[in-house]
Amino acid sequence: DWKYTLDNSKLPQNFGTGDTLNETFSLVASDDTSVDLTVTLSGSETGAVLKGPLHQAIVYYDYDGNGQRTPGEPFVTTDEDGSYVLHADAGLEAVAIEDRVVVPEDGTFQVIVEMTTDTVDYTSGEGFVDSGIALKAAASEGGVVTPMTTIHEHSKEHVDDGLVDSFSADDLRNALGLGDLDINILTVNTHDGSLNAEVAHEVEVVQQHLLTTTLMVQEAIRGACESSTLSSSISKELAHEAALDSVVKTVLAIHEKVESEAHVGIDLSLSADLQELETQIIADLTNGSLATTLVSQNVSVDVEVMDYVIDHASAAIVSVNAELDKLHFEDFGGIKAGAVSYLKQDVAAEIF
């Protein structure tokens, strides 16, 4: 019998996600025969998936950058508290080395969360089966995946396309109206006990607002497509991406106002801020990414139909987010939060 004990002092600085290190030993038997034994160390990532802790969600490294879980990409399932431990070999025990997707040369990739038929918010019991929702974060940011990290990751597309010059984590914190909190918006965990209850509650409500709004806009887009007589349907996944893009553009627009001191940060329980969202959606439908997505799917939507559906969805968003605002931190995980979650799902279903 033998065992290998790791000497952490020998690891390179910042050894982590996607990194590997080989150490080879020469073993000599009593008959003088020898064999080389190589131990391979793989960096892992410990994190959590939060909108409330999401249980039974699949977390994977999107090595190939296609936004979908490709066979050969490492994956794990989250625990009851939303936590996970993900490393380069996770879930790939039966996959040959040559069939595994390799880490990008620059080491830059996303952690993506995929909802399953069993995924639930463990605090409220809210299910996400067939929701089309996905969350994401940069693998280099510490492993916490939330609606806020998702907004920040998606915003990078609009930095690249020149819509905005830059959009940092602090910019996002300010745009979400959390500028007075001393937190890292990309690593904050509202359920690990590291925050006082008041701060955790403020952050949790913002996360609930973001996901609620995205879900309802997603269903509004699908409903508008179904209502157009000459239109084909659009998948929940594509509708989710279109909805997320509109929410991100709204956050970016609010950020510009915050920078000019004309706004204190977005509040998705207020009609005025939802009006900005409606403006972004209609602009996108007329000549933007939503229009491009619909054309690619051979879907045609009348602007007046979309305007009508989005207007009614906005009223529903305001109502549900206002109910979320009434919850205290201790309510998350209890009957009251569960009731609001079920209300949200019912309203979303009615929109579609």
Side-chain angles (χ1 to χ4, degrees):
D1 292 337
W2 62 278
K3 66 178 182 178
Y4 176 84
T5 302
L6 174 64
D7 181 354
N8 285 318
S9 66
K10 294 184 178 180
L11 288 176
Q13 188 175 10
N14 298 324
F15 183 80
T17 306
D19 295 330
T20 59
L21 180 67
N22 294 326
E23 189 168 4
T24 301
F25 303 88
S26 292
L27 305 180
V28 181
S30 58
D31 61 358
D32 291 332
T33 58
S34 64
V35 63
D36 287 340
L37 176 67
T38 300
V39 176
T40 300
L41 305 175
S42 298
S44 64
E45 179 164 44
T46 302
V49 180
L50 302 169
K51 189 285 321 172
L54 292 182
H55 182 217
Q56 293 288 352
I58 291 178
V59 187
Y60 65 94
Y61 289 148
D62 188 26
Y63 284 160
D64 60 12
N66 69 352
Q68 301 176 359
R69 182 159 57 96
T70 303
E73 290 179 329
F75 70 95
V76 292
T77 303
T78 56
D79 291 330
E80 292 177 357
D81 60 356
S83 64
Y84 66 90
V85 177
L86 183 57
H87 55 81
D89 299 319
L92 303 180
E93 293 78 5
V95 180
I97 297 296
E98 60 269 19
D99 293 329
R100 299 182 183 184
V101 182
V102 299
V103 181
E105 290 185 4
D106 63 1
T108 301
F109 53 91
Q110 292 180 331
V111 180
I112 295 184
V113 177
E114 173 186 299
M115 307 301 173
T116 72
T117 56
D118 299 317
T119 302
V120 295
D121 179 336
Y122 201 71
T123 60
S124 68
E126 179 183 358
F128 292 90
V129 58
D130 196 30
S131 66
I133 293 173
L135 301 175
K136 51 192 173 184
S140 59
E141 292 292 349
V144 176
V145 189
T146 69
M148 295 186 298
T149 64
T150 304
I151 294 291
H152 189 255
E153 279 302 291
H154 196 92
S155 72
K156 293 177 182 178
E157 297 179 15
H158 296 304
V159 173
D160 292 340
D161 65 21
L163 181 64
V164 292
D165 293 331
S166 63
F167 192 65
S168 68
D170 286 342
D171 291 334
L172 175 60
R173 184 185 63 187
N174 293 334
L176 294 177
L178 300 172
D180 59 335
L181 301 184
D182 184 20
I183 58 172
N184 183 334
I185 206 77
L186 302 183
T187 61
V188 63
N189 188 327
T190 55
H191 291 268
D192 67 355
S194 62
L195 302 174
N196 68 52
E198 184 177 343
V199 172
H201 174 252
E202 189 172 353
V203 175
E204 180 67 19
V205 168
V206 169
Q207 297 195 138
Q208 297 279 352
H209 279 190
L210 289 171
L211 198 58
T212 295
T213 302
T214 304
L215 173 63
M216 292 197 178
V217 171
Q218 166 187 319
E219 293 307 289
I221 291 172
R222 295 182 67 229
C225 291
E226 291 290 332
S227 299
S228 297
T229 55
L230 299 178
S231 177
S232 303
S233 61
I234 183 172
S235 71
K236 286 191 174 183
E237 289 74 18
L238 284 176
H240 173 71
E241 280 299 306
L244 176 61
D245 192 59
S246 295
V247 171
V248 169
K249 287 178 178 176
T250 302
V251 171
L252 293 174
I254 296 296
H255 164 63
E256 295 294 326
K257 296 179 181 180
V258 171
E259 288 288 281
S260 64
E261 300 183 352
H263 207 294
V264 295
I266 194 169
D267 185 343
L268 292 170
S269 64
L270 297 179
S271 298
D273 286 352
L274 267 297
Q275 183 59 53
E276 179 68 46
L277 176 61
E278 291 183 47
T279 300
Q280 293 294 336
I281 294 171
I282 297 303
D284 259 1
L285 176 62
T286 305
N287 186 26
S289 57
L290 177 55
T292 302
T293 298
L294 295 179
V295 169
S296 71
Q297 298 298 304
N298 195 30
V299 175
S300 176
V301 181
D302 187 280
V303 173
E304 290 187 4
V305 171
M306 180 66 80
D307 191 32
Y308 177 84
V309 175
I310 290 296
D311 188 54
H312 283 70
S314 293
I317 292 169
V318 168
S319 298
V320 175
N321 284 342
E323 290 301 313
L324 287 168
D325 287 345
K326 296 177 183 178
L327 299 176
H328 299 289
F329 186 71
E330 58 269 20
D331 292 328
F332 288 103
I335 295 175
K336 291 181 179 179
V340 176
S341 293
Y342 285 114
L343 171 65
K344 175 177 64 179
Q345 295 288 346
D346 287 344
V347 172
E350 288 182 10
I351 292 173
F352 177 65

